[in-house]
Amino acid sequence: MRKQKEPTTRKCIVSGKLFNKNELIRFVVDHQKRLIPDLDQKLPGHGYWLKADRLTLQASQKKSSFFPA
């Protein structure tokens, strides 16, 4: 039985654009509602992908991308 290839692109939650996984940082929210950067991309749970640059990180804070008010 063949294993399906995992997609190598993900959508940035700030810009909505598709990027290669190596251009993004994956975050997960744990059961205590803490935001955890998942640098190895192996933690369980739903991943939130964010472009790995300063402007995008700053925009995510302004937009409350992870925890909307």
Side-chain angles (χ1 to χ4, degrees):
M1 187 179 267
R2 286 187 172 183
K3 185 177 180 181
Q4 287 186 336
K5 286 187 178 182
E6 188 174 327
T8 58
T9 59
R10 297 287 188 268
K11 186 186 285 190
C12 173
I13 63 170
V14 173
S15 69
K17 295 179 182 178
L18 290 176
F19 294 97
N20 287 326
K21 284 173 55 174
N22 61 356
E23 298 178 77
L24 301 162
I25 301 171
R26 182 179 188 255
F27 291 88
V28 294
V29 178
D30 71 5
H31 63 280
Q32 294 177 337
K33 298 200 179 206
R34 295 179 297 190
L35 187 63
I36 310 291
D38 181 14
L39 302 179
D40 291 330
Q41 302 175 357
K42 295 184 181 199
L43 292 175
H46 180 75
Y48 297 94
W49 296 86
L50 193 67
K51 178 86 166 107
D53 66 34
R54 181 179 297 207
L55 293 176
T56 304
L57 288 168
Q58 290 172 340
S60 74
Q61 290 176 326
K62 289 179 184 175
K63 289 176 65 174
S64 299
S65 299
F66 295 106
F67 301 106

